Each structure stands twice: as structure tokens, then as C-alpha cells.
Amino acid sequence: MKNMTLTNIAQACGGRLICPGEPPAAEAAGVVIDSRKAGKDFLFIAAKGERVDGHRFIPEVFAGGALGVVCERLPEQPAGPCILVEDSFEALKRIGEFYRRQLSVKVVGITGSVGKTSTKEFVASVLSQKYRVHKTLGNYNNEIGVPLTVLSMPEDTEVAVLEMGINHFGEMHNLSRIARPDICIMTNIGQCHLEFLGSREGILKAKSEIFDFMGEDGAVCVNGDDDMLSTIKEVKGKPPVTFGLSSSCRIYAADIAGRGLLGSEAVIHDRESGISFNAKIPLPGGHMVYNALAATAVGRLLGLTPEEISKGIAAVEGVSGRSHIIELADKVVIDDCYNANPVSMKAAVDLLLQADGRTVAVLGDMFELGKEEAKLHECVGGYAVEKGVDCLICTGELSRHMYEGALKAAEAGEKHGIHYFPDRESLLEGLSDLLLPGDTILVKASRGMGFEKVVEQLT
């Protein structure tokens, strides 16, 4: 890793390097917080987590040939160089920031209330047609995940695509300081993290901190159809590149043809250059068109041809937990259990209703919605019934309100199959009795509900 010597790392994170004799001049081969991944010449950051204290594993990583350790307290007889810091997680952020500045790489930062991960996949797939791309893996999008993603970046990376997620004010400022994005994408401003950010205006303000460390020559791409994002008229002296379904956006889609769970097709236009091209969008749901448009905007900014962009869009693959279609012998499962908020819940219901045959929505609690949580859950239940879901299964303490909203909506129309389970365990016991051969089953809830267990049982 370029310039990642122990001396430079200690200086970058404000730590005290404790080493018998002269510190080694070697550069770290990698940086990890999981001792099981600490190979030869790696730097291990020992941090105290919710369940495990990484300091316990310092002897093991030195036995495995680690270059050094960042720690908050020294082991009794350290077997190698240690960098003593006050806060290991804070040190991780500073080390990630230092390494980012050693590399000549373009960084695309992606934020928004919904669609960050799928947008990341589209952008990375498109840019991979021309560049060596490094992207966020899994859910590494917070103040721990972003520096780890940066620190896992190969030196020959040409473009990094980083997902950046927050739920408090100030967090995006810290992420921007680490990532120093050249291009910022904002997907939308929805009703999520209201418990901490207060309102959609608060969400926009918090997420706009992504601009804080963007370069002066940077560019911003925003969903021009979003009422909150359309209020952004200028960032660092330049107007944003807008994308959307409206022809007033610079990058827009027309002639959209849905193909059900097989995705959609559209003609994508760049109003500024006058070019247009056909795009096959392989993932289902109308929101995937927006992801393709965001990727087109970035592709145009970084010099890709329409042919390269179209090829990259067509090559996108689904991600587990995010509208991932799983075909079984007698059923289809839509695994969308990674996270949830009212906007993404409704979008997932819309996707479910594109299926042939009977539709089943297994929905769970949405967290961090603040004082409006009961009303927002009730609205989702009503929406599912009004849109025509054949069987709605609500699970969790908050989803009692979803169930009640569904019952109210059902009174005004046809009778629907509406069910309630107080927790995931009771759902797992009773779910199979509610399903029929040929069903298409949507599974969606906030991450804390652990609905991946539901997907595992179904599959």
C-alpha cells in the first residue's frame, strides 16, 4: 500500500508508535479490523466492538506475521510494533483518509434515502467498461465501512465507487473527508432516519454534507424528479447534472417498456449532447430506470460512449437482499430484506405486482422513523391492499400499525388475505401454511428484523 509505513500511519492517526528498535520501513499489505483477515505484513486495528474486543487477538495477528497493530491499550508483552491511540475507530477513519490521498483515483460518492446500493452496482458496471473499478462491498457504507473500502482499494484502481450512508448530522461530513469524492450522486430524499434527522429538509441538509470535501472541479448528479433535490441549483459554482423521467432533466428516459420481473427497456437521452441510445435494464422495478440514468450521467462525465454505457447497464447483476429475484421449483422469492423505509416499501410492492399469479408481501418493521412511525406503517399497509396484493403478512411490533392500516383499506374494497405475526419467530412457524404453489413472495423489512432468516427458510 503506497506510503503506508508504520511511521506514516502513526502520524496520520495521531498515534504513538511503540517499537523495539527502528520501526520497519515496509509498507502495509492491507488494513483490517477482523483478526481472521490479518495476513502477513497487514496492519490490524484492534477495536472494542459491541460483542468482541479486538485487543484479545493481538497475539494471534503478530503470530501470523502482522506488520503492526493499532490499539487503545498495549498488550503486556507486545510481540511487534504497536500504534497507541485514544480511539481505534477514529484512527481507522484518519488512516483511510491518509491512504485516499496517496492515490490518483477518481471517486464517485453515492448517497440518498433509497437505492444507494443498486445505483452503485449500475455505476460500477458502466464504468468497468472503460476503467479499473473498485466498489463498496456488502454494507460497508458507514464510518467504519467507508475507510475499510478505501483501504482495500488496489493501487491500480482508476475509479472508486463508494456508497455512503448516514443517520445522524455530521456523519456525511466525516465520510466526505475520507472519500473526497470527485463526483457526487444523490438518488432521492425520502422518509428514513427521521428519528435523528427530523424531516426531509433535515435529511437533505445532512446528506448535502457529501459536498464538503468534493474537489473544486467536482460534479454533482441529482435526481431531477425529486422535489427536494430539484432545489439544489448550484454546488461550488456549477449546476448539478440532473437525471430523471422528465425531459427537462439533462439525462432522461423515454419510451420505457416494462418486462415484468425481467426488467425493462428504455431510450436514454443526453439533452446536452443530443445523443440517445437504447438500454436494456435487467433488474425489475421502475426505480431501476433511475439507477441506469444515474450511471449514464456519471458515464458521460467520465467520457464513456453510448455503446459502453448501454453495455454496462445490460451487464448489471442483482445483489442479495435488494430486489434479488430467486426462482424456486414452485415459487418465486423477491429478496429485498436488506433494509426498508416507506418509499422503498411502496416501490417493492409495485415490483411485486408485476409478477404473474398470486402475490404475497411479507413485510416487517421499519425503524428510525421518529414520531410518525405509526402513521407511516399504517400507510404502507393501506398501500399494499389498495394496490391489490393478494396476501399481506405483517410482522413485528411496529407492523401492528401496518396490519391495522391494511384492515381499514380492505373495509373499503374487496376482501384481502391480511395476517399478523408479533415477531419473526412466530412468522417462521406459520408462514408455510399461508403459501401456495406458484406464489411470488416479497420479503422486506428493516435490517434489524433479520428477515434474511425468512428468505433462508423459503429457499
Side-chain angles (χ1 to χ4, degrees):
M1 299 179 71
K2 186 177 180 181
N3 294 331
M4 292 288 281
T5 64
L6 291 180
T7 299
N8 288 344
I9 291 169
Q11 184 175 359
C13 68
R16 179 162 62 96
L17 178 58
I18 300 170
C19 178
E22 288 294 317
E27 295 172 337
V31 179
V32 295
I33 61 172
D34 185 340
S35 62
R36 296 167 295 183
K37 299 177 181 178
K40 189 179 186 311
D41 290 331
F42 270 59
L43 178 74
F44 173 58
I45 298 183
K48 186 174 182 180
E50 293 180 2
R51 291 176 294 179
V52 179
D53 187 348
H55 291 80
R56 290 169 42 197
F57 306 107
I58 291 176
E60 292 180 20
V61 299
F62 277 131
L67 180 67
V69 166
V70 172
C71 55
E72 296 173 9
R73 61 180 186 274
L74 291 174
E76 290 185 7
Q77 293 180 324
C82 294
I83 298 174
L84 189 62
V85 298
E86 292 186 5
D87 186 320
S88 294
F89 286 124
E90 188 63 31
L92 171 64
K93 289 186 278 187
R94 300 288 75 80
I95 294 167
E97 178 188 353
F98 172 76
Y99 185 58
R100 161 68 179 98
R101 291 158 76 173
Q102 308 311 303
L103 303 179
S104 298
V105 58
K106 291 284 187 183
V107 171
V108 179
I110 301 173
T111 192
S113 296
V114 179
K116 294 184 291 296
T117 299
S118 52
T119 300
K120 174 203 68 182
E121 295 298 322
F122 273 83
V123 172
S125 183
V126 166
L127 296 183
S128 294
Q129 305 306 310
K130 183 174 182 177
Y131 299 104
R132 290 186 294 274
V133 174
H134 179 72
K135 66 180 181 180
T136 300
L137 297 177
N139 60 346
Y140 276 25
N141 67 2
N142 58 15
E143 290 191 69
I144 297 174
V146 169
L148 286 174
T149 300
V150 169
L151 289 163
S152 66
M153 194 186 308
E155 288 186 32
D156 65 351
T157 300
E158 294 176 307
V159 182
V161 184
L162 305 182
E163 180 182 337
M164 301 165 70
I166 62 161
N167 54 23
H168 288 81
F169 288 106
E171 289 179 343
M172 187 62 75
H173 176 86
N174 295 334
L175 297 184
S176 180
R177 180 176 175 178
I178 296 165
R180 298 183 181 265
D182 300 281
I183 297 174
C184 297
I185 301 174
M186 300 186 80
T187 61
N188 46 59
I189 302 298
Q191 294 168 312
C192 63
H193 310 309
L194 292 173
E195 179 180 357
F196 307 114
L197 301 178
S199 63
R200 291 182 71 219
E201 288 78 9
I203 295 167
L204 175 61
K205 181 179 179 181
K207 292 186 181 293
S208 294
E209 294 172 4
I210 193 173
F211 308 141
D212 290 357
F213 290 91
M214 185 181 76
E216 293 301 320
D217 296 328
V220 173
C221 303
V222 302
N223 180 346
D225 293 342
D226 185 280
D227 61 326
M228 299 298 296
L229 293 178
S230 63
T231 64
I232 300 176
K233 302 300 182 183
E234 184 179 281
V235 179
K236 299 196 174 181
K238 295 195 299 186
V241 176
T242 56
F243 59 87
L245 304 186
S246 168
S247 59
S248 63
C249 296
R250 173 180 161 177
I251 307 295
Y252 68 95
D255 302 314
I256 300 170
R259 300 171 63 226
L261 295 182
L262 297 177
S264 59
E265 297 180 0
V267 179
I268 295 180
H269 301 266
D270 181 347
R271 193 162 52 83
E272 184 170 295
S273 66
I275 65 106
S276 62
F277 61 90
N278 295 321
K280 290 187 176 181
I281 302 164
L283 302 185
H287 55 293
M288 294 298 176
V289 177
Y290 281 96
N291 299 338
L293 293 171
T296 300
V298 176
R300 296 299 293 161
L301 288 172
L302 292 181
L304 272 73
T305 65
E307 294 75 19
E308 289 170 328
I309 296 171
S310 180
K311 184 178 179 182
I313 290 172
V316 173
E317 297 181 354
V319 177
S320 177
R322 295 171 170 88
S323 301
H324 182 213
I325 308 299
I326 306 171
E327 295 187 57
L328 306 175
D330 64 343
K331 297 179 182 67
V332 174
V333 175
I334 303 175
D335 172 13
D336 202 355
C337 66
Y338 176 75
N339 218 337
N341 59 55
V343 173
S344 66
M345 277 285 200
K346 292 176 181 179
V349 167
D350 292 341
L351 169 60
L352 172 65
L353 293 171
Q354 294 183 32
D356 296 325
R358 199 176 83 122
T359 55
V360 179
V362 182
L363 307 182
D365 291 355
M366 302 175 288
F367 299 139
E368 299 181 2
L369 294 181
K371 61 184 180 181
E372 296 292 318
E373 62 184 11
K375 178 181 177 182
L376 293 171
H377 279 81
E378 184 176 320
C379 287
V380 167
Y383 185 86
V385 168
E386 290 163 3
K387 286 293 183 177
V389 170
D390 295 308
C391 178
L392 174 63
I393 303 170
C394 309
T395 304
E397 183 178 349
L398 292 172
S399 290
R400 165 68 70 174
H401 303 291
M402 189 187 298
Y403 173 68
E404 292 169 353
L407 291 176
K408 289 179 183 177
E411 289 176 0
E414 296 181 6
K415 181 70 175 175
H416 285 71
I418 303 169
H419 309 272
Y420 175 73
F421 292 93
D423 50 44
R424 186 188 67 195
E425 287 66 32
S426 58
L427 168 68
L428 292 173
E429 290 178 6
L431 179 58
S432 61
D433 295 333
L434 301 176
L435 303 179
L436 300 173
D439 283 350
T440 298
I441 307 156
L442 167 67
V443 182
K444 189 167 182 64
S446 280
R447 195 184 320 169
M449 289 294 289
F451 264 30
E452 63 273 9
K453 298 291 186 183
V454 181
V455 174
E456 288 174 12
Q457 176 167 297
L458 290 169
T459 56

Short mmCIF file of all heavy atoms in Angstrom, two decimals, residues 306-328:
data_model
loop_
_atom_site.label_atom_id
_atom_site.label_comp_id
_atom_site.label_asym_id
_atom_site.label_seq_id
_atom_site.Cartn_x
_atom_site.Cartn_y
_atom_site.Cartn_z
N PRO A 306 -21.89 6.05 -25.71
CA PRO A 306 -23.22 5.45 -25.51
C PRO A 306 -23.18 3.92 -25.56
O PRO A 306 -23.89 3.26 -24.80
CB PRO A 306 -24.04 6.03 -26.66
CG PRO A 306 -23.38 7.34 -26.97
CD PRO A 306 -21.92 7.10 -26.74
N GLU A 307 -22.35 3.37 -26.45
CA GLU A 307 -22.25 1.92 -26.56
C GLU A 307 -21.71 1.31 -25.27
O GLU A 307 -22.19 0.26 -24.80
CB GLU A 307 -21.36 1.54 -27.74
CG GLU A 307 -21.92 1.90 -29.10
CD GLU A 307 -21.84 3.39 -29.43
OE1 GLU A 307 -21.04 4.10 -28.78
OE2 GLU A 307 -22.59 3.84 -30.32
N GLU A 308 -20.69 1.93 -24.68
CA GLU A 308 -20.11 1.43 -23.43
C GLU A 308 -21.12 1.51 -22.29
O GLU A 308 -21.24 0.58 -21.47
CB GLU A 308 -18.85 2.21 -23.09
CG GLU A 308 -17.67 1.92 -24.01
CD GLU A 308 -16.51 2.88 -23.81
OE1 GLU A 308 -16.76 4.06 -23.47
OE2 GLU A 308 -15.35 2.47 -24.02
N ILE A 309 -21.86 2.62 -22.24
CA ILE A 309 -22.85 2.79 -21.18
C ILE A 309 -23.96 1.76 -21.31
O ILE A 309 -24.36 1.11 -20.33
CB ILE A 309 -23.42 4.22 -21.19
CG1 ILE A 309 -22.32 5.24 -20.88
CG2 ILE A 309 -24.56 4.35 -20.19
CD1 ILE A 309 -22.73 6.68 -21.08
N SER A 310 -24.46 1.57 -22.52
CA SER A 310 -25.52 0.60 -22.75
C SER A 310 -25.07 -0.81 -22.38
O SER A 310 -25.81 -1.56 -21.73
CB SER A 310 -25.93 0.64 -24.23
OG SER A 310 -26.95 -0.30 -24.48
N LYS A 311 -23.84 -1.16 -22.75
CA LYS A 311 -23.30 -2.49 -22.42
C LYS A 311 -23.18 -2.66 -20.91
O LYS A 311 -23.50 -3.73 -20.36
CB LYS A 311 -21.95 -2.67 -23.09
CG LYS A 311 -21.34 -4.05 -22.90
CD LYS A 311 -20.01 -4.18 -23.63
CE LYS A 311 -19.38 -5.55 -23.42
NZ LYS A 311 -18.06 -5.65 -24.11
N GLY A 312 -22.73 -1.62 -20.21
CA GLY A 312 -22.59 -1.69 -18.76
C GLY A 312 -23.92 -1.83 -18.05
O GLY A 312 -24.04 -2.58 -17.07
N ILE A 313 -24.94 -1.13 -18.53
CA ILE A 313 -26.27 -1.24 -17.93
C ILE A 313 -26.80 -2.66 -18.08
O ILE A 313 -27.34 -3.26 -17.14
CB ILE A 313 -27.23 -0.22 -18.56
CG1 ILE A 313 -26.85 1.21 -18.14
CG2 ILE A 313 -28.68 -0.51 -18.17
CD1 ILE A 313 -27.61 2.30 -18.88
N ALA A 314 -26.65 -3.22 -19.28
CA ALA A 314 -27.17 -4.57 -19.54
C ALA A 314 -26.46 -5.64 -18.72
O ALA A 314 -27.02 -6.72 -18.50
CB ALA A 314 -27.03 -4.88 -21.03
N ALA A 315 -25.24 -5.34 -18.25
CA ALA A 315 -24.44 -6.34 -17.53
C ALA A 315 -24.67 -6.34 -16.03
O ALA A 315 -24.09 -7.15 -15.31
CB ALA A 315 -22.95 -6.11 -17.82
N VAL A 316 -25.51 -5.43 -15.51
CA VAL A 316 -25.73 -5.33 -14.06
C VAL A 316 -26.37 -6.61 -13.53
O VAL A 316 -27.27 -7.18 -14.15
CB VAL A 316 -26.62 -4.12 -13.73
CG1 VAL A 316 -26.99 -4.12 -12.27
CG2 VAL A 316 -25.90 -2.83 -14.08
N GLU A 317 -25.91 -7.04 -12.37
CA GLU A 317 -26.47 -8.22 -11.72
C GLU A 317 -27.10 -7.82 -10.39
O GLU A 317 -26.67 -6.86 -9.75
CB GLU A 317 -25.39 -9.27 -11.49
CG GLU A 317 -24.79 -9.82 -12.78
CD GLU A 317 -23.74 -10.88 -12.52
OE1 GLU A 317 -23.40 -11.10 -11.34
OE2 GLU A 317 -23.27 -11.47 -13.50
N GLY A 318 -28.10 -8.56 -9.96
CA GLY A 318 -28.78 -8.29 -8.71
C GLY A 318 -27.90 -8.57 -7.50
O GLY A 318 -26.97 -9.38 -7.56
N VAL A 319 -28.20 -7.92 -6.39
CA VAL A 319 -27.47 -8.08 -5.14
C VAL A 319 -28.39 -8.72 -4.11
O VAL A 319 -29.55 -8.32 -3.97
CB VAL A 319 -26.96 -6.72 -4.62
CG1 VAL A 319 -26.25 -6.88 -3.28
CG2 VAL A 319 -26.03 -6.07 -5.64
N SER A 320 -27.89 -9.69 -3.38
CA SER A 320 -28.68 -10.35 -2.35
C SER A 320 -29.25 -9.33 -1.38
O SER A 320 -28.55 -8.44 -0.90
CB SER A 320 -27.81 -11.36 -1.59
OG SER A 320 -28.54 -11.95 -0.55
N GLY A 321 -30.56 -9.45 -1.09
CA GLY A 321 -31.20 -8.55 -0.14
C GLY A 321 -31.76 -7.31 -0.76
O GLY A 321 -32.42 -6.52 -0.09
N ARG A 322 -31.55 -7.12 -2.07
CA ARG A 322 -32.02 -5.90 -2.72
C ARG A 322 -32.71 -6.26 -4.03
O ARG A 322 -32.05 -6.37 -5.07
CB ARG A 322 -30.86 -4.94 -2.96
CG ARG A 322 -30.22 -4.42 -1.67
CD ARG A 322 -28.96 -3.67 -2.01
NE ARG A 322 -28.42 -2.95 -0.86
CZ ARG A 322 -27.58 -3.48 0.02
NH1 ARG A 322 -27.20 -4.73 -0.10
NH2 ARG A 322 -27.11 -2.76 1.01
N SER A 323 -34.01 -6.47 -3.97
CA SER A 323 -34.81 -6.83 -5.15
C SER A 323 -34.19 -7.99 -5.92
O SER A 323 -34.21 -8.02 -7.14
CB SER A 323 -34.99 -5.61 -6.06
OG SER A 323 -35.63 -4.57 -5.37
N HIS A 324 -33.63 -8.95 -5.17
CA HIS A 324 -32.98 -10.10 -5.79
C HIS A 324 -34.03 -11.17 -6.08
O HIS A 324 -34.68 -11.67 -5.17
CB HIS A 324 -31.90 -10.63 -4.84
CG HIS A 324 -31.14 -11.78 -5.38
ND1 HIS A 324 -30.64 -12.80 -4.60
CD2 HIS A 324 -30.77 -12.09 -6.65
CE1 HIS A 324 -30.00 -13.67 -5.35
NE2 HIS A 324 -30.08 -13.27 -6.61
N ILE A 325 -34.17 -11.52 -7.34
CA ILE A 325 -35.17 -12.49 -7.75
C ILE A 325 -34.60 -13.91 -7.62
O ILE A 325 -33.57 -14.22 -8.20
CB ILE A 325 -35.61 -12.26 -9.21
CG1 ILE A 325 -36.03 -10.79 -9.41
CG2 ILE A 325 -36.74 -13.20 -9.58
CD1 ILE A 325 -37.18 -10.35 -8.57
N ILE A 326 -35.28 -14.75 -6.85
CA ILE A 326 -34.85 -16.13 -6.64
C ILE A 326 -35.96 -17.05 -7.16
O ILE A 326 -37.06 -17.08 -6.61
CB ILE A 326 -34.58 -16.42 -5.15
CG1 ILE A 326 -33.56 -15.42 -4.58
CG2 ILE A 326 -34.08 -17.85 -4.96
CD1 ILE A 326 -33.39 -15.50 -3.07
N GLU A 327 -35.67 -17.78 -8.22
CA GLU A 327 -36.66 -18.69 -8.80
C GLU A 327 -36.51 -20.08 -8.18
O GLU A 327 -35.44 -20.69 -8.26
CB GLU A 327 -36.48 -18.76 -10.32
CG GLU A 327 -36.76 -17.43 -11.02
CD GLU A 327 -36.74 -17.56 -12.52
OE1 GLU A 327 -37.51 -18.39 -13.06
OE2 GLU A 327 -35.95 -16.86 -13.17
N LEU A 328 -37.58 -20.56 -7.55
CA LEU A 328 -37.61 -21.89 -6.96
C LEU A 328 -38.46 -22.80 -7.82
O LEU A 328 -39.03 -22.38 -8.83
CB LEU A 328 -38.17 -21.80 -5.53
CG LEU A 328 -37.47 -20.81 -4.59
CD1 LEU A 328 -38.20 -20.73 -3.27
CD2 LEU A 328 -36.01 -21.20 -4.39
#
